[in-house]
Amino acid sequence: MAEQLGELTRTHTCGALRPDDVGADVVLLGWVHRVRDLGGLLFIDVRDRHGVTQIVFDKDDEPLMNKAKRLRSEYVVGVSGRVQRRSPETINPKLETGEVEVVVRQLALLNEAKTPPFPIADDTPVSEDVRLKYRYLDLRRPRLQGNIVLRHQVMSAARRYFDANGFLEIETPILTKSTPEGARDYLVPSRVHAGEFFALPQSPQLFKQILMVAGMDRYVQICKCFRDEDLRADRQPEFTQIDVEMSFARAETIFNMIEPLMRDIFAIIGQDVSGPFRRMPYSEAIAVYGSDKPDLRPGMPIQDLRELFRESSFGVFKKIVADGGTVRAFVVANAAGYSRSAVDGIVNQEKAQGRHLLWARRAEDGTITSSFPKAVGEDAVRQLLDATGTGNGQLAFVVAGQPDIVSKTLGQLRLALAKKDGLLDPNRYEFLWVVDFPLLEWDGEDKRFVAMHHPFTSPHDEDFGKLDSDPGATRAKAYDLVLNGSEIGGGSIRIHDSTIQSRMFSLLNISPEEAKSRFGFFLEALEYGTPPHGGIALGLDRIIAILSNESSIREVIAFPKTAAAVDLMSDAPSAVDQKQLRELHLKIETPHRAGVRGGDPVDARGPKAE
């Protein structure tokens, strides 16, 4: 039976006691972490989020000893006693409190606990579904508690930094207007206005720009955002971003503001980050690394060899180059572990994906071997190896074809091999600003241009003339902050002129009537003296995942959803009763099939307004 807290008032956390506290009378409150009954001696570790302290019971105090023997893992207890130093042979160097223990005088059992579905004291592997169903238990485990503490520390550091730099933290609406352009909105039906819907914000984009119109000058918000999109390790239906906007800003203004913030954030884990960060145009990132978020840690840049093969005797490559294609390659510097069978395995994997991969290598003694046809000749292969700087003991992988496909193929292979070879050091941090993105990209399905970032991104001043003559070649004043192959931030300088904004909508095939319906309030605001402005949104969840060396952002969010966008702990989403639906003027066309939580979508077409 549980006891009341009574006179037990905590004096120390379970991670606080040190040798200087020897002789002090203390009170600890927490959970039973481990029980070690050695017959005549009973040791119990008591845990809270601050740490673990060992407590010991006097074998001569029979009533107290009998009470202590009832304790099991995860029981909630309060103890009072005196701190003593452990004997030298029992010191635990793995614990910060490992030099001391508490001799218990009083024990209160504050609550019992069922046997947990998985051990809390040990970080043993547990299926993710079980962990998410019992998230309140998973969050007791030291690893996740450390991640949540780190998240708090990063948010606190960000708030201090922006406050010191004159930013105002301003909340923006959660219930807002649906302005679909990209990911799907989460919609919220209005009870008061039948058949009409609010949307949960994909970002505060329009509101933060309107705050610049309102003269707020420097805005920041740590905010929730919502996107109804397919999920993966670095995506959640609701996520958190550090949202920033500045009036009278150029791209350089944003860079100079964000880089010191990264310094402050990474100092939390003892990492020294210094600027300026490297800058790289989008076109170079794609050509040299096959990605718009390149991971710079492994090196192995992709090299363009088209000129080498423009007049080559190898007719296949010569024709590809003549038809506007390219030949590209990257070099594996330490190829000792790449046997012929291993290389053939890599080639076959690419072939299974419809990609033709060639290779050439120099053995340690300088001997040249390759998968090129014999008709190409060793001299041509040697020229390729010389052109790529492939030395003895090194291996070059080569692909020919259309530039984007070639670089994407090599970029994916480059990362796969870097991961296999242990070249992605988690304790090394390579920041990069990717700049000069295309303003627009062609949607082959809809047969129209769409905004690569969003419709409010300003084109480069010198590219204005291309908006009519060559829209696809127009560069944007857009930038992404990339860290170790992960996009942790994205932003742009915005369009602040209503005429240019209307022109942008026209390029996106958005009629004036549709623009007014969807963005009318914003377009009108632009007509009242809008300053030049720009900003960035930093992905808080992704930053914390990198800081804590986690592969999924679910590990750094207190209550995440599964990959199927389900909260297994609270069983959300769930059906609602007919009364609620009637109040919202909704009906369900196809009944919800309860219990469907896997990869197959529920056979329901969702709510329909009457």
Side-chain angles (χ1 to χ4, degrees), residues 25 85 120 128 163 240 257 279 288 330 337 362 449 482 485 511 549 552:
D25 292 322
R85 187 181 291 273
I120 308 299
E128 187 175 56
D163 182 60
T240 306
M257 185 59 64
R279 321 284 167 84
V288 179
F330 73 82
R362 273 195 174 105
F449 281 109
V482 175
S511 68
N549 195 25
S552 170

Side-chain angles (χ1 to χ4, degrees), residues 90 133 209 242 252 293 344 414 445 504-507 516 525 543:
T90 63
K133 179 175 175 59
Q209 289 191 245
I242 304 175
E252 202 68 28
K293 47 181 185 294
D344 287 343
R414 168 184 173 269
E445 184 176 340
M504 180 68 168
F505 284 146
S506 177
L507 284 170
K516 184 176 180 180
I543 292 172

Side-chain angles (χ1 to χ4, degrees), residues 301-533:
I302 299 168
Q303 303 177 56
D304 197 307
L305 305 174
R306 78 182 76 192
E307 295 307 319
L308 182 65
F309 289 96
R310 190 175 295 281
E311 301 299 331
S312 169
S313 59
F314 186 26
V316 175
F317 279 10
K318 182 177 180 179
K319 185 177 187 307
I320 288 172
V321 173
D323 290 342
T326 190
V327 182
R328 289 178 178 165
F330 73 82
V331 177
V332 178
N334 184 5
Y338 288 79
S339 65
R340 177 61 186 266
S341 62
V343 173
D344 287 343
I346 294 169
V347 170
N348 290 334
Q349 286 178 355
E350 292 298 314
K351 188 175 181 180
Q353 299 297 322
R355 298 185 287 260
H356 191 50
L357 182 69
L358 295 173
W359 58 269
R361 76 189 306 163
R362 273 195 174 105
E364 291 290 352
D365 63 1
T367 303
I368 294 174
T369 55
S370 80
S371 62
F372 281 83
K374 290 184 179 180
V376 175
E378 185 171 312
D379 285 345
V381 175
R382 180 178 287 105
Q383 288 178 11
L384 182 150
L385 294 175
D386 289 343
T388 56
T390 306
N392 290 357
Q394 296 183 340
L395 168 69
F397 286 106
V398 186
V399 176
Q402 291 304 307
D404 287 353
I405 296 174
V406 167
S407 284
K408 184 177 180 180
T409 298
L410 289 173
Q412 292 173 346
L413 178 60
R414 168 184 173 269
L415 285 179
L417 298 185
K419 184 176 182 179
K420 181 182 77 70
D421 293 343
L423 301 180
L424 304 179
D425 182 356
N427 297 312
R428 178 182 165 197
Y429 301 97
E430 291 283 354
F431 286 91
L432 173 71
W433 288 107
V434 178
V435 300
D436 296 344
F437 281 82
L439 183 69
L440 307 166
E441 55 186 342
W442 183 253
D443 186 325
E445 184 176 340
D446 290 344
K447 306 297 183 186
R448 70 181 184 97
F449 281 109
V450 295
M452 180 166 274
H453 278 70
H454 55 64
F456 314 105
T457 299
S458 178
H460 263 285
D461 297 346
E462 56 268 36
D463 287 359
F464 270 121
K466 296 179 182 178
L467 288 173
D468 295 322
S469 62
D470 193 1
T474 306
R475 294 170 303 157
K477 294 181 181 178
Y479 36 81
D480 282 355
L481 181 57
V482 175
L483 174 58
N484 292 359
S486 179
E487 177 202 331
I488 63 169
S492 66
I493 302 303
R494 324 301 187 188
I495 297 170
H496 67 279
D497 182 289
S498 60
T499 303
I500 298 174
Q501 185 64 72
S502 296
R503 191 175 176 190
M504 180 68 168
F505 284 146
S506 177
L507 284 170
L508 298 174
N509 203 26
I510 299 174
S511 68
E513 294 75 22
E514 186 181 2
K516 184 176 180 180
S517 171
R518 289 164 58 179
F519 309 108
F521 69 101
F522 176 68
L523 292 175
E524 185 175 8
L526 290 182
E527 296 176 349
Y528 285 90
T530 300
H533 59 283

